[in-house]
Each structure stands twice: as C-alpha cells, then as structure tokens.
Amino acid sequence: MNICVIGTGYVGLVTGVVFSDLGNEVVCVDSDKAKIAKLKRGIPTIYEPGLKEMLQSNIEDQRLSFTTNLGEGVNKSEIIFICVGTPQKNNGETNLSFVESAAREIAGNLREYKIIVNKSTVPVGTGDLVREIIEKNKKYQVDFDVVSNPEFLREGSAIKDCLTPDRIVIGVPNKKVANRFLELYSPLERPMLITDVNSAEIIKYASNSFLATKISFINAIADLCETAGANITDVAKGMGYDSRIGREFLNAGLGYGGSCFPKDVHSLVHTAQKFGIKFSLLENVIQINDQRVDSFVGRIEKRFKKLKDKTIGILGLAFKPDTDDLREAKSIEVIKKLLAKGARVKAYDPVAMESARKILPKVEFCKSSYDAAKGAHALIIITEWREFKLLNLERIKNEMACPVIFDGRNMYDPERKRRLGFEYYSIGRK
Ligand code: UDX
C-alpha cells in the first residue's frame, strides 16, 4: 500500500520504517529540514535498537523516502498517518495544535479519496475534530474517512513492539475502511480489535493510565513494606503469580516518567473533567508519583544531615534503560533538588549525556560509572541500565569517599551489597 506518515518523532519514524519493511511504499513528512536531511542519508534521529539497519535497508530498496513537502506525501498515498506531537498544556489538557495544523494541511492537499489516521495519542473526540477541520478546509468535493489507530510501542523496544504488538486497535467509521486496515496489518499476524473511533481513542489512555496506576500502587505498597519491615520484591513476586494481576509493571522505584505516562494520566483526568467526571483514583496516582523524588532525596538528606559540599555520583539519566530520552526523567528532578541543597553532582549515563548537558549545565558529566563514583559521598542509581548490574563493586567502593549507595530502582541484592561493605539503601526493602 502507499502510505504517508506525518511527523518523524518516536512514533512516526518507527511506524514509517516498519511499514516500509513490511513491503509498503512509505513517505515520511516532517517540517524540520535538518531532521529530514539526516533521515534521507539514513542517519536515525533517535536512539532505538534495530532502527538504523531497518532505516538504511528500506531507503536502499526505495520503499522509504523522506520529504518536508506534505502535499507530495499526501498525493502519493492512500493512507495518511498523523504522528505529530501532542504535548501537555499547563492545565493537563492535551495540546492538539500540531494535529489540527496537520489536518488543515492535509485538507489543502486533498484531491481524491484518502484514509486519514490518528496514530498520535489524542483524547476522545479528536477523530471528530480532525473530520470537521478537513471538511471545512478541503478545496475539492472529495470524500475521506478518519480512523483511530493508537500506537502502544515502548521506547527502547519500539521496533519489536511495532512488529509484534500485543494487539492492534483500529477505530473505524465503516466496514470498507476496516477491511483496508485488516489487510495492512495482516502480515503481522497479531490480534486485531476493530471498534469505533471513540473507543479506540479511550483504549489508549485507559491502557497507559492503568499501567501508571499499577506503578503508583506498588510504590505505595513499597512505602508500607519499608515501614513495616517487609520486602517489596517478594511482595510484588507473590502478587504477580496471580495471573489476574501479573508481575509486569510492579517494579517499585522512583516512579514513572517519560513522554507518555505523566502526560496521558493528566490528560485522562482532564478529559473526564470535561465530561463532568472527577477521576479521583487517577488524581491519587499522580500524587503518589509526584512524591517519589521528594521522599527519596529526603532520605539522602537525612543520612548526611546536610548535603552542602557533598559529592553525589549519579548512575543513569534517561527516563528508563535503552533510550536516550530525558523527557520527564526522574534524574532531572533528583539532580535539581540535590543541586539546590548545595551538593556537587557528577553523572554518568551510557547514551543520554549529550542531551543532558543542555538541561543540566551545573553537572559534571563522567566517562564511566567508576568516574562518577570517584570521590563521591554517595552513589545514586536512577536508571536501571544493564551495565550497572555488571559493575565491579569492589572497584566502585575504592573510588568512593564514602561507600553509600541509594538505589532508586532496586537493582542490587541488599545482603550482597552489605557484605561488600556498602551502606545500601533501596526502595521498600529492609
Ligand atoms: C509507555 C507504554 O508502555 C507504551 O505502551 C505507550 O505506547 C507509551 O508509553 P514508554 O513511555 O516507552 O511506554 O515506557 P515504559 O516502559 O512503559 O515505562 C514508563 C515509565 O514507567 C518509566 O519511567 C519506567 O521507569 C516506569 N516503570 C515501569 C516503573 O517505575 N515500574 C515498572 O514496573 C515499570
């Protein structure tokens, strides 16, 4: 099929590359000239395992192209995916201005029947909004359909998630469009749910908010474990064996970050409010998540009495492993609080340091974990990168001014750390 993807962020770029790899002709559009120039040369603009190889091979095979000309992409394609950013406004509402302007531009270039798809995460009712905008701005009397096909990919495993999704959700206005989508996705051989547009839009927010709820729930239980002298890892394991609960997303720690969960939970609360519903459960989920860093830094402060002039080494900056993304990363919150209390901060991350330099100018960035540990009064684990599990802890201890570890992701076994001579603090464990 001929496909146009508007927006080359995480969702857009991965979607475009994967569709081309499935044998479709794909044109990716973005207004950012520098980004398009890079992508045309086969250079990925984000770090994502497997992306580079797939990008380059599909450009070579001439199934994948990039342009800044939206009209060109629309004209060549039968299905147009809107994958532009949907950031959060100050009041928690989703900012739809990029979706709206994409819809207006599509309308201006509509010369024959097309299927327009919202893949960006958008609140319920956005399908209707896009339809109205196109209807109002189209120059020719042509028909079109609007579909909701939310994306569930996770950063760090985006290609894999796109190729083997747990489910494909397709919100359609009629049977004819449903059949085109069944055909488009049939090579993946994954479960597909055909539903109406509004339901598909809600499925995305409900899923992300439910996962965020799981995280805040286990974090609240972790606090109880800590006070009551229990072990959250065993508690989560014991709960997770119940197939109705499941072990995934029950890792206690500094809370959820990233470009999706914080924004999506706020947005769902806001959408509910618009319909006159107070979603107190999700308000609590947000509140629990917001308190994680404060209580973590509070514990560090309590240990040292004063943080002024203490050197703190940070391991991990990205909002989670296998990505260079720093959006809503807990590292930023923790570091800003430590700096405000007068601490000197050194940090190391395997891939996210380049972007971190711009956001955290007062931090000293290090070449390795050992470098970050050098002279540190405490080492803080913020992102659970695999390489931190494989560290030579004897060497780490020798580098440090004081062998104290605050583990924000429960990466290590407390007993082993203590045997190695560390003063070791983790989340929800004795
Ligand atoms: C998420 C959804 O998983 C994905 O389906 C959706 O399309 C986009 O949002 P992503 O933001 O890439 O994906 O990250 P995810 O792996 O879900 O983790 C989100 C946050 O939750 C991270 O900050 C992570 O550290 C945190 N988390 C996750 C926990 O604190 N505990 C857990 O048990 C799991």
Side-chain angles (χ1 to χ4, degrees), residues 151-155 215 249-251 256-257 260 319-320:
E151 185 50 67
F152 297 96
L153 60 82
R154 287 163 300 178
E155 291 182 23
I215 298 170
F249 279 73
L250 285 183
N251 294 324
Y256 58 81
C260 296
F319 88 92
K320 65 172 196 175

Side-chain angles (χ1 to χ4, degrees), residues 34-104:
K35 223 178 191 184
I36 290 296
K38 250 179 135 178
L39 291 169
K40 272 185 173 172
R41 284 186 286 138
I43 306 167
T45 42
I46 50 168
Y47 172 79
E48 197 59 52
L51 177 65
K52 191 173 170 189
E53 300 74 18
M54 208 181 253
L55 171 74
Q56 293 174 347
S57 73
N58 284 291
I59 293 176
E60 232 164 74
D61 293 348
Q62 300 188 343
R63 275 191 302 268
L64 178 63
S65 61
F66 295 90
T67 178
T68 51
N69 185 339
L70 188 137
E72 183 193 318
V74 169
N75 285 330
K76 277 187 186 165
S77 312
E78 174 195 355
I79 306 181
I80 299 143
F81 285 90
I82 301 179
C83 298
V84 295
T86 49
Q88 187 187 320
K89 291 185 190 171
N90 286 339
N91 64 353
E93 192 180 354
T94 301
N95 178 351
L96 288 173
S97 60
F98 299 116
V99 173
E100 290 167 11
S101 64
R104 269 191 299 273

